[in-house]
Amino acid sequence: MQEERRLAVLRAIVEDYVATEEPVGSKALVERHGLGVSPATVRNDMAALEDEGYITQPHTSAGRVPTDKGYRLFVDRLTTVKPMSAAERRAVSTFLDGAVDLDDVVQRSVRVLSQLTRQVAVVQYPTLSRSTVRHVELVALAPRRLLAVLILSTGRVEQRIVELGADLSDEALADLRSRVNSVAAGEIISTAVTALRALAAEPPTADLAAYVGPVVEALAEAMSDHRSDERIAVGGAANLARYGDSFDSAVRPLLEALEEHVVLLKLLGEATTGGMVTVRIGAEGPYEQLASTSVVATGYGPTNDALATLGVVGPTRMDYPGTMTAVRAVARYVSRILDED
Amino acid sequence: MQEERRLAVLRAIVEDYVATEEPVGSKALVERHGLGVSPATVRNDMAALEDEGYITQPHTSAGRVPTDKGYRLFVDRLTTVKPMSAAERRAVSTFLDGAVDLDDVVQRSVRVLSQLTRQVAVVQYPTLSRSTVRHVELVALAPRRLLAVLILSTGRVEQRIVELGADLSDEALADLRSRVNSVAAGEIISTAVTALRALAAEPPTADLAAYVGPVVEALAEAMSDHRSDERIAVGGAANLARYGDSFDSAVRPLLEALEEHVVLLKLLGEATTGGMVTVRIGAEGPYEQLASTSVVATGYGPTNDALATLGVVGPTRMDYPGTMTAVRAVARYVSRILDED
DNA sequence: ATTGGCACTCGGATCATCGGAGTGCCAAAC
DNA sequence: GTTTGGCACTCCGATGATCCGAGTGCCAAT
């Protein structure tokens, strides 16, 4: 079964290259891994693997390096799930358990993920679109100005200041508050927006006619605010310093991407559910300039109904198994925490 | 007046070195700047400047490079205030005017500042400690759980979830809300905390005794939360890519510092008021590892009562005059915006 | 005080050399 | 048919020698 051995060779090449950062030759391979064959045999296999496009040599008479295609095969078929050490598990859970609010959860996740993977970590804030309205609070700030506070099921809180066209009485405010909550509370965002707009279109009392419009508009705007969909936390940029070589080709575009949240979001891709981790390798991604960076990401959210994405961005030459388990584990912990409150 | 010319020479060296990134020699100096003397004269001056410690040569027979001391003199005595171009002004104001809330103001400031200076920009969120309580809202989420929303004069909103020891009636909630607001609203943070604690110590009605404690504690904690004092926004890290050389010595520690908000805060230093811009050059700063980075910072806040700091971090070799005006301008615009709402 | 002249220094670029790791291929062995 | 040892070959990268030129310091002249 040479076929089997070839795959073993590919796996060995990937592992060694990731570990050493240097092209790996036939001799070093047989020494460091227990393949019971001679270097010559490995060379034959390597030639075959090269023909099929899984590896290349940077130049004649150098060792081999995996191609994107090689990494792809490695990830798809040669990766064994690597469990996290007990210490790591404990670190993740204790660190994340200390979070006091949503912001803090996200910050801490980014931090722990980047430390675990020694890579750049990216965590998207939970999307509004799937969450439900827990409560709407209206607070009078001045006769003609109020603060609308929107509390969502994910724990996110949005607030807007609303300017009114006429003075507002306390009774009218209380009335408005209860009416708004009765149509919106408990509903999913999109439904809530529709219901609120309906309320604004036909003011139930003449009193409210002057206020309901601006308030509803502010709320609807807060609910469908795509800016907040794009909120993202990034951490571990210092890990980029380890790239060392290939600075211009790899680090610069990545640093630029990290500041463009829209780009980052596209890079993370669609959120996947159920513990599935997406791996996008090098040129498989949407940006040419990031041809030598890979993305390992997964969705997270309460009850495994993916609310948002979180993951890691790094060089194609990365420890995929380790990164994948780290990403999966952090996603699971974060989901659990969000479920709790 | 050789003294005067010497300073002119120093200024020319700084300007040239900042522009070209290369040690500057006597010949190039007289050519590029209109000093009406010969290279030999300049050499004499340079020797004197070197004796006094304002410049050095990286190695014998190379041009001169300013020392920290040289930059210091340049900043203190040789800098003419460089006004911003009309286009820049317009860019800043229109960009910042588009901000919708406090978060957005900070984000946009970081962005505009980093683009203006082509450097890493850092903006601290307004401190809680100087601001006053605008309003406290209490929202029932469940019979034994409520959400406390704290609205501050800076526009910042903090919220905390409070677990109660007993079921809460609507009347008790309303009572509590009005009592809390009557003692806290309009007060400065520290006063409000004291007043609230007093309220908790002697519950005005037996009804409230079971609730007032946890609620007040949550509010006090939110008010004195030092974590939020440490909130910071960073932008323009991609500009670090321009360093090119001196990667390990300069970029790596800086990247690490950017993730340690505590370090960054210490780096920014005390907030200064009244349009004063602080410049800290190289080894003047508190961190050895950042001996080749400078900080240009200033305080900002409504009515010029510095609430927080904002600034730029970059290599000692930076365009100080330009950076200083940019920092000053952004601080002024941000202050104005915060004053408005 | 300034200037032109001049010998001197030293870093960086250029180029040649050399060693070694690694390959491909072939013929022998299993 | 697969595996293996042997061998000639390639080419990268380190090392070292050479050389050029920008820049300096100093001195004598202005």
Side-chain angles (χ1 to χ4, degrees):
Chain A
M1 298 288 90
Q2 327 92 300
E3 189 58 24
E4 221 164 80
R5 193 190 53 226
R6 273 196 202 161
L7 293 181
V9 169
L10 177 56
R11 162 193 272 132
I13 291 175
V14 171
E15 287 173 356
D16 263 30
Y17 182 60
V18 167
T20 66
E21 196 158 346
E22 273 168 13
V24 9
S26 53
K27 197 172 150 195
L29 252 196
V30 297
E31 281 169 8
R32 300 177 39 132
H33 300 256
L35 333 160
V37 291
S38 81
T41 313
V42 172
R43 280 207 287 281
N44 290 333
D45 291 339
M46 278 163 49
L49 285 169
E50 183 160 16
D51 277 349
E52 295 164 46
Y54 294 117
I55 55 182
T56 23
Q57 11 190 5
H59 42 258
T60 337
S61 94
R64 300 307 214 289
V65 163
T67 60
D68 285 3
K69 191 178 170 191
Y71 284 122
R72 169 53 56 198
L73 183 61
F74 174 78
V75 168
D76 287 348
R77 298 193 40 205
L78 303 175
T79 294
T80 56
V81 181
K82 185 162 76 176
M84 289 214 303
S85 76
E88 283 173 326
R89 280 177 187 287
R90 218 166 332 115
V92 173
S93 66
T94 59
F95 193 64
L96 288 185
D97 281 344
V100 303
D101 62 13
L102 181 68
D103 245 27
D104 206 22
V105 170
V106 172
Q107 307 284 10
R108 284 169 183 255
S109 308
V110 158
R111 191 147 202 149
V112 82
L113 190 53
S114 69
Q115 281 171 359
L116 231 44
T117 59
R118 300 175 51 87
Q119 223 74 61
V120 177
V122 182
V123 177
Q124 181 187 6
Y125 279 73
T127 334
L128 293 183
S129 59
R130 300 269 190 98
S131 46
T132 59
V133 176
R134 189 184 273 171
H135 188 84
V136 174
E137 188 55 34
L138 303 176
V139 180
L141 297 178
R144 298 195 165 203
R145 182 189 259 183
L146 63 76
L147 181 83
V149 181
L150 174 66
I151 303 157
L152 299 174
S153 56
T154 49
R156 179 185 281 185
V157 178
E158 295 275 325
Q159 67 271 344
R160 291 289 186 280
I161 290 177
V162 187
E163 304 285 347
L164 302 175
D167 286 4
L168 183 66
S169 71
D170 280 354
E171 303 81 55
L173 179 65
D175 187 24
L176 184 55
R177 181 188 298 131
S178 79
R179 284 181 192 276
V180 164
N181 273 296
S182 71
V183 302
E187 300 296 333
I188 208 170
I189 292 283
S190 52
T191 324
V193 170
T194 324
L196 284 172
R197 289 243 160 83
L199 185 70
E202 296 187 14
T205 75
D207 250 9
L208 292 187
Y211 321 120
V212 67
V215 170
V216 161
E217 267 327 297
L219 286 172
E221 190 255 339
M223 288 182 191
S224 48
D225 188 356
H226 282 287
R227 192 176 53 83
S228 28
D229 275 11
E230 293 163 4
R231 284 195 69 195
I232 268 187
V234 176
N239 290 322
L240 288 180
R242 287 185 301 113
Y243 276 50
D245 64 338
S246 68
F247 189 81
D248 274 9
S249 62
V251 177
R252 186 196 300 266
L254 188 46
L255 265 177
E256 280 165 12
L258 290 186
E259 306 224 319
E260 289 300 330
H261 290 182
V262 189
V263 170
L264 260 191
L265 276 173
K266 192 164 170 194
L267 208 56
L268 281 181
E270 299 292 311
T272 53
T273 27
M276 287 293 298
V277 176
T278 305
V279 178
R280 203 182 276 163
I281 296 163
E284 295 173 8
Y287 295 102
E288 275 186 30
Q289 303 211 301
L290 298 176
S292 56
T293 67
S294 287
V295 178
V296 177
T298 189
Y300 74 92
T303 72
N304 266 338
D305 172 23
L307 278 186
T309 305
L310 117 196
V312 157
V313 181
T316 34
R317 174 180 49 65
M318 75 159 63
D319 169 19
Y320 290 98
T323 306
M324 288 168 75
T325 58
V327 166
R328 191 180 293 121
V330 171
R332 195 151 41 205
Y333 273 103
V334 173
S335 300
R336 184 184 308 170
I337 287 180
L338 290 183
D339 242 349
E340 282 169 10
D341 47 35
Chain B
M1 303 287 90
Q2 327 93 299
E3 190 57 27
E4 220 164 82
R5 194 192 51 226
R6 273 198 202 159
L7 293 181
V9 169
L10 177 56
R11 162 193 270 129
I13 290 176
V14 171
E15 286 173 356
D16 264 30
Y17 182 60
V18 167
T20 66
E21 196 157 346
E22 272 168 15
V24 10
S26 53
K27 196 173 152 194
L29 252 197
V30 298
E31 282 170 5
R32 300 177 39 132
H33 301 257
L35 336 158
V37 290
S38 82
T41 314
V42 172
R43 280 206 287 282
N44 290 333
D45 292 338
M46 277 162 51
L49 285 170
E50 183 161 15
D51 277 348
E52 297 165 45
Y54 295 118
I55 55 181
T56 25
Q57 9 190 5
H59 42 258
T60 338
S61 95
R64 300 308 214 287
V65 163
T67 61
D68 285 4
K69 191 178 170 190
Y71 284 122
R72 168 54 56 197
L73 183 62
F74 175 78
V75 169
D76 287 348
R77 299 191 38 205
L78 303 175
T79 295
T80 56
V81 181
K82 186 163 76 177
M84 291 215 301
S85 75
E88 284 173 325
R89 281 176 186 286
R90 217 165 334 112
V92 173
S93 67
T94 59
F95 193 63
L96 288 185
D97 282 343
V100 304
D101 61 15
L102 180 68
D103 245 28
D104 205 23
V105 171
V106 172
Q107 306 284 11
R108 283 168 184 255
S109 307
V110 158
R111 191 148 203 146
V112 81
L113 189 53
S114 68
Q115 281 172 357
L116 230 43
T117 59
R118 297 175 53 89
Q119 223 73 63
V120 177
V122 181
V123 177
Q124 181 187 7
Y125 280 73
T127 334
L128 294 182
S129 58
R130 302 271 189 97
S131 46
T132 60
V133 176
R134 189 184 274 172
H135 187 84
V136 174
E137 188 56 36
L138 302 176
V139 181
L141 297 179
R144 299 193 164 205
R145 184 189 258 181
L146 62 77
L147 181 81
V149 181
L150 173 67
I151 303 156
L152 299 173
S153 57
T154 50
R156 180 185 281 185
V157 178
E158 295 276 326
Q159 67 272 343
R160 290 290 185 282
I161 289 177
V162 187
E163 304 286 347
L164 302 174
D167 286 5
L168 183 67
S169 69
D170 280 354
E171 303 81 52
L173 180 65
D175 187 23
L176 184 56
R177 181 187 297 131
S178 79
R179 284 180 193 276
V180 164
N181 273 296
S182 71
V183 302
E187 301 296 333
I188 207 170
I189 291 283
S190 52
T191 323
V193 169
T194 322
L196 284 173
R197 288 244 159 85
L199 185 69
E202 297 186 15
T205 75
D207 250 10
L208 291 187
Y211 321 120
V212 68
V215 171
V216 162
E217 268 327 296
L219 286 172
E221 190 255 340
M223 287 181 190
S224 49
D225 188 356
H226 282 288
R227 193 176 53 82
S228 28
D229 274 11
E230 293 163 4
R231 284 195 68 196
I232 269 189
V234 176
N239 289 323
L240 288 179
R242 287 185 302 112
Y243 277 48
D245 65 337
S246 68
F247 189 82
D248 273 9
S249 62
V251 177
R252 187 197 301 267
L254 187 45
L255 266 177
E256 280 165 13
L258 291 185
E259 305 223 319
E260 290 301 329
H261 290 181
V262 188
V263 171
L264 261 190
L265 276 173
K266 192 164 171 195
L267 208 57
L268 281 181
E270 299 291 310
T272 52
T273 27
M276 287 294 297
V277 176
T278 304
V279 178
R280 201 181 279 164
I281 295 163
E284 295 173 9
Y287 295 102
E288 276 187 30
Q289 303 212 300
L290 299 176
S292 56
T293 67
S294 287
V295 178
V296 177
T298 190
Y300 74 90
T303 71
N304 266 339
D305 172 24
L307 277 187
T309 306
L310 116 195
V312 157
V313 180
T316 33
R317 174 181 49 64
M318 74 160 64
D319 170 19
Y320 290 97
T323 306
M324 288 168 74
T325 58
V327 166
R328 190 180 292 120
V330 171
R332 193 150 44 208
Y333 273 103
V334 173
S335 301
R336 183 184 307 169
I337 287 180
L338 290 183
D339 243 349
E340 282 171 9
D341 49 32

